[in-house]
Amino acid sequence: MAQAIDQTRRSHADTIALFLNRYLKPQGTVAKVAQRDQQLQILLEAIDIPSHDQLVPWITNAIESMKPEGLKTIQIYARRAGDKNCVWTEAFVLRSGKLMPMDTMTMANSQQDAGDLVARSRNGDITAIALFLDRALDNPSLRAHVELHRAVLKVTIETFQYLDGANFAVELANKLKPIASPKVQFVEVYKRKSAVTSPVFLNRIELVEQASRLGASS
């Protein structure tokens, strides 16, 4: 029985990896797929940072079309080939054959305490940064997508709400000041209405300077 279950798990990972790489490899991206119990993990590696906006919708649609049985959660990671840290990550729950974004509080509860979250964020851990930002925003209508490249944190806020452009970016930088470090020096804030619309640039702010100025005034 256990042997049959292991074979089913391997077949999910192998089948999905084969399907994804037929499309991704010609574009310079390799997908490594693993399954742990009811969780599927997909690691995307490329010389250039794999595109979040293009790949995530395509991957989720592809997996939904396969209708894999026995899976509950799917995590997608992306990193530059040769790097250890991921530049972005997304997590989904499989419900009734559809992939739904994982509740960020559920993710946060599975992590260690807030102090450790800040420490890992300051060290450039993109998963920790995403969780820290979701906690800081504390607004289910604002969905944040994050990337980190050469100490510049790119934050794309996905929402239909009106955002007061530059002022919102400054407020966001204030929330991010606890994780300012040599690995997280700047934040670039963008806004888009949905995954299929182009992001609009709002502002770029130096986090280290922002943290120092706010610390001095407190």
Side-chain angles (χ1 to χ4, degrees), residues 11-62:
S11 65
H12 275 324
D14 294 345
T15 300
I16 292 173
L18 180 63
F19 182 89
L20 296 180
N21 281 311
R22 282 178 179 171
Y23 170 80
L24 295 174
K25 278 189 175 181
Q27 302 184 48
T29 300
V30 175
K32 299 178 180 179
V33 184
Q35 186 172 347
R36 296 180 179 177
D37 298 325
Q38 296 174 308
Q39 180 187 85
L40 189 74
Q41 297 179 329
I42 301 173
L43 174 62
L44 306 173
E45 289 187 319
I47 295 176
D48 295 321
I49 298 174
S51 170
H52 174 283
D53 295 347
Q54 293 179 4
L55 291 184
V56 170
W58 181 81
I59 290 173
T60 54
N61 288 336

Side-chain angles (χ1 to χ4, degrees), residues 69-166:
E69 296 182 359
L71 295 179
K72 287 188 176 181
T73 61
I74 294 176
Q75 290 186 307
I76 306 173
Y77 306 86
R79 70 185 182 192
R80 186 178 289 101
D83 286 356
K84 293 182 178 180
N85 292 331
C86 294
V87 293
W88 56 259
T89 181
E90 287 281 357
F92 299 88
V93 178
L94 190 61
R95 294 174 181 166
S96 302
K98 295 292 184 181
L99 286 172
M100 308 295 293
M102 184 178 288
D103 183 351
T104 54
M105 290 311 296
T106 299
M107 293 176 63
N109 289 337
S110 69
Q111 302 295 322
Q112 297 179 11
D113 60 27
D116 181 63
L117 191 64
V118 169
R120 289 187 293 115
S121 296
R122 289 173 57 85
N123 199 41
D125 185 327
I126 197 68
T127 303
I129 292 172
L131 291 173
F132 178 89
L133 183 57
D134 281 324
R135 286 184 179 184
L137 289 172
D138 193 24
N139 187 337
S141 66
L142 301 180
R143 187 179 180 195
H145 304 274
V146 296
E147 299 177 34
L148 183 63
H149 180 53
R150 294 182 179 178
V152 178
L153 179 64
K154 178 182 176 181
V155 178
T156 302
I157 302 295
E158 187 175 310
T159 182
F160 282 97
Q161 282 189 355
Y162 168 76
L163 298 181
D164 185 12

Side-chain angles (χ1 to χ4, degrees), residues 184-200:
V184 189
Q185 297 183 28
F186 297 87
V187 59
E188 290 184 350
V189 186
Y190 297 77
K191 187 232 177 180
R192 70 183 185 197
K193 291 184 178 180
S194 70
V196 297
T197 57
S198 298
V200 176

Side-chain angles (χ1 to χ4, degrees), residues 157-215:
I157 302 295
E158 187 175 310
T159 182
F160 282 97
Q161 282 189 355
Y162 168 76
L163 298 181
D164 185 12
N167 288 334
F168 174 84
V170 171
E171 292 176 3
L172 184 63
N174 291 344
K175 295 178 184 294
L176 290 171
K177 70 182 181 71
I179 66 170
S181 73
K183 293 188 177 181
V184 189
Q185 297 183 28
F186 297 87
V187 59
E188 290 184 350
V189 186
Y190 297 77
K191 187 232 177 180
R192 70 183 185 197
K193 291 184 178 180
S194 70
V196 297
T197 57
S198 298
V200 176
F201 175 73
L202 299 182
N203 205 349
R204 175 187 169 106
I205 296 172
E206 184 175 358
L207 288 177
V208 175
E209 179 181 327
Q210 187 85 352
S212 299
R213 184 167 59 249
L214 290 172

